[in-house]
Structures are given as C-alpha cells and as structure tokens.
Amino acid sequence: MRIGLIGTGRIGTFHARTLTAEPEVSELLVTDVDAARAAAVASDLGATLAPSPDELLSRDLDAVVIASATSSHAGLIQAAASRGVPVFCEKPIALDLPGTMDALRTVDDAGLLLQIGFMRRFDAGYAAARAAVRSGSLGRLHTVRAATSDPAPPPAEYIPLSGGLYRDCLVHDFDALRWVTGREVISVYAAGSDAGPEMFRAAGDVDTAAVLLTLDDGLLCTATATRVNGAGYDVRMELAGEKDQIAVGLDARTPLTSVEPTASASQGTPWPGFLERFAPAYESELAAFVRAVRGEAPNPCDGYEALAALRIAEACERSRHEGRPVAVEELA
C-alpha cells in the first residue's frame, strides 16, 4: 500500500513511525506546511517527500492520513474524496456543524471510507469497560464519571484555533461515553471557569469545565476537564451500576494521592501527556484503518460518530453561554 501523510507535527510524526512499521505499507509519502520539518521526517524514516498536499494527493495513493492543522481538515477530506482516496483524519472534521456536514456530504457522494481518530476506542481499558457494560456484569448503570486533565496548558497561540475546551478536549470524553455505554446523549448542562491563565480569557475560552449529561435511558454522566492539572496527565472513566463498578485509567500512574492513613503510596510516575498514555491506541487505530482500506474489516469510527460528538460539544457551548440545560436535538 502507498499511503500519504499530511502533517508532520507531534502526532503526525508518531503516525509516520507507525505507518512505516506497518507490514502492509510499502511506501509512505509525507508533506507539511513546514517543509523543513516534513523533510526531516522523510529523511529519518525513509519516506517520500511531497512539496504540498495537492501534489501528494495527485500521486497514486491507496489512502491518506490527515494530521494537519484543524482548520485544514475539511478541505483536505473533500480534496481526497474528489480523487477517491480513503481517509483517516484526526478529530475534528471541522470546528462547526455546517463545515462538518458539508464534508460528510462530499464523503457520502464519493462513497469514500472516512475514519476519524478517536483513539480511546482502541485503548484496552475503554474496550474492557465497553465489554463489561455489554456483558451485564455491572447491572443497570446509574452513574458514569469521565475526566480529562492536562498537566499544563497548550501554547497561547493554539487556544484561539482549538475550538475551545469542549470541542478540543472534552469531545474525546463525549465520544467515549457514547461508545462505552452504547447510548445517546439527549441533554447537557455545562459550566466553565476561566479563573486560570489570562490567555484563556483572552481567547474567550475556559481552562476548566464540568458537564452534566443525561443519556437516552436516564443514565446520568458527568464529564470534567482542565488544562491546568499540575499533578500530571489524568484521563479516567468510572462506571457505577447496580451490581458493580469499574474504572478506566486507574493504575499506578494515575496522579491521584489518597490521604487515608491505610492507603498505599503512589508507585508510578504520571504519564507526561496524551501521546505517551495512548500510544498503543494510536497504533491500533491506524492498523484498523489499514485493514478497513484493504476491505478486511469495517470502518471502526466513521464521520457520523465525529458529528455526534461535536453536537454534544456544541450543546455544551450553548449551555455555558446561556446558563441553561440544552437538548442536543437543538443542534440539528
């Protein structure tokens, strides 16, 4: 297979290494707006350098992986669709619903395979939680708690381009909630705080957020996120049912210290960030993409899954600004 990669930043470079190690990939072509960075990745991995996305997409490709700036995703998906090239794209498709739906219409018209990079679906812990829910071992779920905490804020210039904490960060939790429980979110009540670094207020964003979500079977979920968790990177999900309760992301590396006198001291070093914590999941999702392109497996996360998660994030933004519960169906 000949696969193109657009974007050689941190996650793009990780994907490049994963793809060059994939037995089915015979050639990797890379490009980036930062030509020197792309050239360095190509040289390091023995990949073919393309001068631009248009030039890369004009080659005889079996598939393309998009890991470029968020603002470019929709246009690149549509460009690939016009050439009939299957796409793996990092979330999001676009930062708004109209842009997302326009891209999905193009994909549908082309009959294109589009897989979105919600890597938590490929994490062993989240997969085990999904299996536990479906086995009935937890009984009827009554409460789910999700949390994503970054150890330090992103660069100030990234924040105005990110789409905000709900669309950029909590969207992973929204997708995981739907995927693990198998239910749909029908309403949200969201709040946010910009009491941290000034750069969040300047961008009209928040550094910390909390959401109460009601699912279509009455299950209550909470999701929280922050950019300023100095203890370390912390991503967890707790699922409580009438028979049992379980946790994802609770191990020796969880940056959480109990103050109970009988508790054991933490034994591990916290994960430094998302790429280290979810490295096996990132590798697995690209392996799944290769199988899907080859017709050996179904698409594990299509564009409409991304649309559903974005609708929840958009409902959260409306709820935060208007100070009221918002039904997701309002975001039609």
Side-chain angles (χ1 to χ4, degrees), residues 274-298:
F274 67 92
L275 194 53
E276 295 82 5
R277 163 65 177 85
F278 289 107
Y282 281 116
E283 293 167 352
S284 294
E285 69 178 358
L286 282 185
F289 175 61
V290 170
R291 291 195 299 273
V293 172
R294 289 171 58 84
E296 298 169 354

Side-chain angles (χ1 to χ4, degrees), residues 2-326:
R2 300 179 78 231
I3 294 184
L5 171 69
I6 302 174
T8 55
R10 188 181 181 197
I11 188 61
T13 298
F14 186 93
H15 286 333
R17 295 187 185 281
T18 299
L19 289 166
T20 54
E22 171 61 48
E24 301 296 340
V25 178
S26 58
E27 183 182 6
L28 177 67
L29 297 85
V30 301
T31 192
D32 194 290
V33 292
D34 185 333
R37 184 169 65 185
V41 170
S43 176
D44 184 41
L45 298 177
T48 301
L49 181 65
S52 69
D54 283 343
E55 174 63 23
L56 183 143
L57 288 170
S58 71
R59 310 287 179 89
D60 184 20
L61 297 176
D62 294 295
V64 65
V65 172
I66 298 172
S68 53
T70 294
S71 59
S72 68
H73 288 184
L76 290 172
I77 289 170
Q78 291 170 315
S82 70
R83 295 170 169 86
V85 180
V87 174
F88 174 95
C89 185
E90 284 297 333
K91 66 83 187 167
I93 294 173
L95 285 176
D96 60 22
L97 292 174
T100 299
M101 295 173 73
D102 282 347
L104 288 177
R105 279 191 288 268
T106 302
V107 168
D108 288 346
D109 290 345
L112 180 74
L113 186 154
L114 170 63
Q115 180 180 330
I116 302 300
F118 280 116
M119 77 292 187
R120 295 188 196 181
R121 294 179 175 226
F122 298 87
D123 176 71
Y126 282 96
R130 174 183 164 95
V133 171
R134 280 153 181 73
S135 74
S137 64
L138 305 181
R140 181 189 67 85
L141 289 178
H142 54 76
T143 309
V144 176
R145 306 175 189 91
T148 295
S149 301
D150 289 331
E157 60 270 18
Y158 173 77
I159 296 168
L161 307 175
S162 70
L165 192 59
Y166 300 103
R167 298 184 190 93
D168 179 53
C169 183
L170 273 165
V171 72
H172 281 289
D173 296 277
F174 301 152
D175 179 71
L177 284 170
R178 295 181 61 250
W179 186 72
V180 170
T181 66
R183 312 302 307 193
E184 295 295 338
V185 176
I186 60 170
S187 68
V188 304
Y189 196 0
S193 170
D194 62 2
E198 163 61 26
M199 59 186 178
F200 291 99
R201 289 186 292 280
D205 195 10
V206 294
D207 60 76
T208 302
V211 186
L212 172 64
L213 308 101
T214 302
L215 275 56
D216 57 10
D217 63 346
L219 173 61
L220 296 178
C221 305
T222 59
T224 62
T226 185
R227 301 285 199 185
V228 288
N229 195 55
Y233 185 70
D234 187 10
V235 171
R236 277 179 284 140
M237 178 182 284
E238 301 170 5
L239 299 99
E242 292 180 339
K243 294 181 180 180
D244 201 1
Q245 59 182 349
I246 59 175
V248 178
L250 183 61
D251 59 20
R253 301 194 71 167
T254 305
L256 181 67
T257 302
S258 174
V259 295
E260 296 297 332
T262 58
S264 300
S266 177
Q267 298 178 348
T269 302
W271 296 106
F274 67 92
L275 194 53
E276 295 82 5
R277 163 65 177 85
F278 289 107
Y282 281 116
E283 293 167 352
S284 294
E285 69 178 358
L286 282 185
F289 175 61
V290 170
R291 291 195 299 273
V293 172
R294 289 171 58 84
E296 298 169 354
N299 185 347
C301 187
D302 66 24
Y304 288 93
E305 300 296 301
L307 177 62
L310 180 60
R311 275 204 175 101
I312 299 167
E314 292 280 358
C316 288
E317 283 287 6
R318 182 174 295 183
S319 177
R320 176 173 76 91
H321 285 292
E322 299 182 5
R324 64 176 179 91
V326 170

